[in-house]
mmCIF file of all heavy atoms in Angstrom:
data_model
loop_
_atom_site.group_PDB
_atom_site.id
_atom_site.type_symbol
_atom_site.label_atom_id
_atom_site.label_comp_id
_atom_site.label_asym_id
_atom_site.label_seq_id
_atom_site.Cartn_x
_atom_site.Cartn_y
_atom_site.Cartn_z
ATOM 1 N N VAL A 75 10.493 -14.238 4.971
ATOM 2 C CA VAL A 75 11.840 -13.820 5.321
ATOM 3 C C VAL A 75 11.773 -12.329 5.616
ATOM 4 O O VAL A 75 11.070 -11.582 4.927
ATOM 5 C CB VAL A 75 12.844 -14.137 4.188
ATOM 6 C CG1 VAL A 75 12.484 -13.426 2.892
ATOM 7 C CG2 VAL A 75 14.261 -13.800 4.615
ATOM 8 N N PHE A 76 12.444 -11.886 6.665
ATOM 9 C CA PHE A 76 12.331 -10.483 7.054
ATOM 10 C C PHE A 76 13.632 -9.952 7.619
ATOM 11 O O PHE A 76 14.522 -10.718 8.027
ATOM 12 C CB PHE A 76 11.202 -10.293 8.069
ATOM 13 C CG PHE A 76 11.480 -10.865 9.438
ATOM 14 C CD1 PHE A 76 12.015 -10.070 10.443
ATOM 15 C CD2 PHE A 76 11.208 -12.196 9.726
ATOM 16 C CE1 PHE A 76 12.284 -10.590 11.701
ATOM 17 C CE2 PHE A 76 11.457 -12.728 10.985
ATOM 18 C CZ PHE A 76 11.998 -11.907 11.982
ATOM 19 N N THR A 77 13.724 -8.628 7.647
ATOM 20 C CA THR A 77 14.849 -7.935 8.254
ATOM 21 C C THR A 77 14.344 -6.636 8.853
ATOM 22 O O THR A 77 13.209 -6.213 8.591
ATOM 23 C CB THR A 77 15.971 -7.673 7.237
ATOM 24 O OG1 THR A 77 17.148 -7.208 7.930
ATOM 25 C CG2 THR A 77 15.555 -6.618 6.210
ATOM 26 N N HIS A 78 15.185 -5.988 9.638
ATOM 27 C CA HIS A 78 14.805 -4.746 10.300
ATOM 28 C C HIS A 78 15.198 -3.538 9.451
ATOM 29 O O HIS A 78 16.264 -3.524 8.828
ATOM 30 C CB HIS A 78 15.475 -4.648 11.672
ATOM 31 C CG HIS A 78 15.046 -5.718 12.628
ATOM 32 N ND1 HIS A 78 13.917 -5.613 13.399
ATOM 33 C CD2 HIS A 78 15.595 -6.929 12.909
ATOM 34 C CE1 HIS A 78 13.780 -6.695 14.137
ATOM 35 N NE2 HIS A 78 14.781 -7.518 13.857
ATOM 36 N N LEU A 79 14.330 -2.536 9.431
ATOM 37 C CA LEU A 79 14.600 -1.266 8.759
ATOM 38 C C LEU A 79 14.790 -0.205 9.835
ATOM 39 O O LEU A 79 13.833 0.423 10.285
ATOM 40 C CB LEU A 79 13.437 -0.873 7.843
ATOM 41 C CG LEU A 79 13.195 -1.738 6.609
ATOM 42 C CD1 LEU A 79 11.875 -1.353 5.959
ATOM 43 C CD2 LEU A 79 14.342 -1.582 5.609
ATOM 44 N N VAL A 80 16.011 -0.021 10.269
ATOM 45 C CA VAL A 80 16.292 0.930 11.340
ATOM 46 C C VAL A 80 17.558 1.712 11.013
ATOM 47 O O VAL A 80 18.380 1.285 10.197
ATOM 48 C CB VAL A 80 16.472 0.219 12.703
ATOM 49 C CG1 VAL A 80 15.171 -0.417 13.160
ATOM 50 C CG2 VAL A 80 17.578 -0.832 12.641
ATOM 51 N N GLY A 81 17.690 2.875 11.645
ATOM 52 C CA GLY A 81 18.894 3.664 11.497
ATOM 53 C C GLY A 81 18.924 4.491 10.234
ATOM 54 O O GLY A 81 17.974 4.533 9.447
ATOM 55 N N SER A 82 20.053 5.138 10.021
ATOM 56 C CA SER A 82 20.189 6.097 8.922
ATOM 57 C C SER A 82 20.164 5.428 7.548
ATOM 58 O O SER A 82 19.875 6.084 6.541
ATOM 59 C CB SER A 82 21.494 6.891 9.076
ATOM 60 O OG SER A 82 22.615 6.016 9.043
ATOM 61 N N GLN A 83 20.483 4.139 7.490
ATOM 62 C CA GLN A 83 20.496 3.440 6.210
ATOM 63 C C GLN A 83 19.139 2.855 5.835
ATOM 64 O O GLN A 83 18.998 2.257 4.768
ATOM 65 C CB GLN A 83 21.541 2.312 6.248
ATOM 66 C CG GLN A 83 22.952 2.777 6.475
ATOM 67 C CD GLN A 83 23.418 3.734 5.396
ATOM 68 O OE1 GLN A 83 23.221 3.482 4.210
ATOM 69 N NE2 GLN A 83 24.034 4.829 5.794
ATOM 70 N N ALA A 84 18.143 3.025 6.708
ATOM 71 C CA ALA A 84 16.840 2.409 6.458
ATOM 72 C C ALA A 84 16.206 2.855 5.141
ATOM 73 O O ALA A 84 15.674 2.015 4.405
ATOM 74 C CB ALA A 84 15.903 2.679 7.628
ATOM 75 N N PRO A 85 16.204 4.158 4.807
ATOM 76 C CA PRO A 85 15.575 4.550 3.532
ATOM 77 C C PRO A 85 16.212 3.882 2.313
ATOM 78 O O PRO A 85 15.501 3.406 1.422
ATOM 79 C CB PRO A 85 15.758 6.072 3.510
ATOM 80 C CG PRO A 85 15.865 6.463 4.949
ATOM 81 C CD PRO A 85 16.628 5.340 5.590
ATOM 82 N N ALA A 86 17.544 3.847 2.264
ATOM 83 C CA ALA A 86 18.220 3.221 1.125
ATOM 84 C C ALA A 86 17.943 1.731 1.091
ATOM 85 O O ALA A 86 17.718 1.147 0.012
ATOM 86 C CB ALA A 86 19.720 3.486 1.196
ATOM 87 N N LEU A 87 17.945 1.089 2.257
ATOM 88 C CA LEU A 87 17.661 -0.342 2.313
ATOM 89 C C LEU A 87 16.231 -0.628 1.901
ATOM 90 O O LEU A 87 15.957 -1.596 1.174
ATOM 91 C CB LEU A 87 17.926 -0.860 3.728
ATOM 92 C CG LEU A 87 17.704 -2.363 3.962
ATOM 93 C CD1 LEU A 87 18.587 -3.198 3.041
ATOM 94 C CD2 LEU A 87 17.958 -2.719 5.423
ATOM 95 N N ASN A 88 15.298 0.227 2.317
ATOM 96 C CA ASN A 88 13.902 0.052 1.933
ATOM 97 C C ASN A 88 13.733 0.164 0.423
ATOM 98 O O ASN A 88 12.957 -0.581 -0.185
ATOM 99 C CB ASN A 88 13.034 1.095 2.642
ATOM 100 C CG ASN A 88 11.553 0.826 2.500
ATOM 101 O OD1 ASN A 88 11.101 -0.314 2.572
ATOM 102 N ND2 ASN A 88 10.775 1.879 2.295
ATOM 103 N N ASP A 89 14.452 1.089 -0.194
ATOM 104 C CA ASP A 89 14.429 1.224 -1.648
ATOM 105 C C ASP A 89 14.847 -0.086 -2.320
ATOM 106 O O ASP A 89 14.144 -0.626 -3.188
ATOM 107 C CB ASP A 89 15.382 2.336 -2.092
ATOM 108 C CG ASP A 89 14.738 3.701 -2.111
ATOM 109 O OD1 ASP A 89 13.628 3.844 -1.563
ATOM 110 O OD2 ASP A 89 15.346 4.623 -2.668
ATOM 111 N N VAL A 90 15.997 -0.589 -1.917
ATOM 112 C CA VAL A 90 16.559 -1.783 -2.550
ATOM 113 C C VAL A 90 15.648 -2.992 -2.336
ATOM 114 O O VAL A 90 15.378 -3.758 -3.265
ATOM 115 C CB VAL A 90 17.969 -2.066 -1.993
ATOM 116 C CG1 VAL A 90 18.475 -3.431 -2.481
ATOM 117 C CG2 VAL A 90 18.935 -0.970 -2.407
#
Side-chain angles (χ1 to χ4, degrees):
V75 60
F76 70 94
T77 190
H78 296 275
L79 292 170
V80 294
S82 61
Q83 299 301 314
L87 181 59
N88 191 40
D89 272 12
V90 171

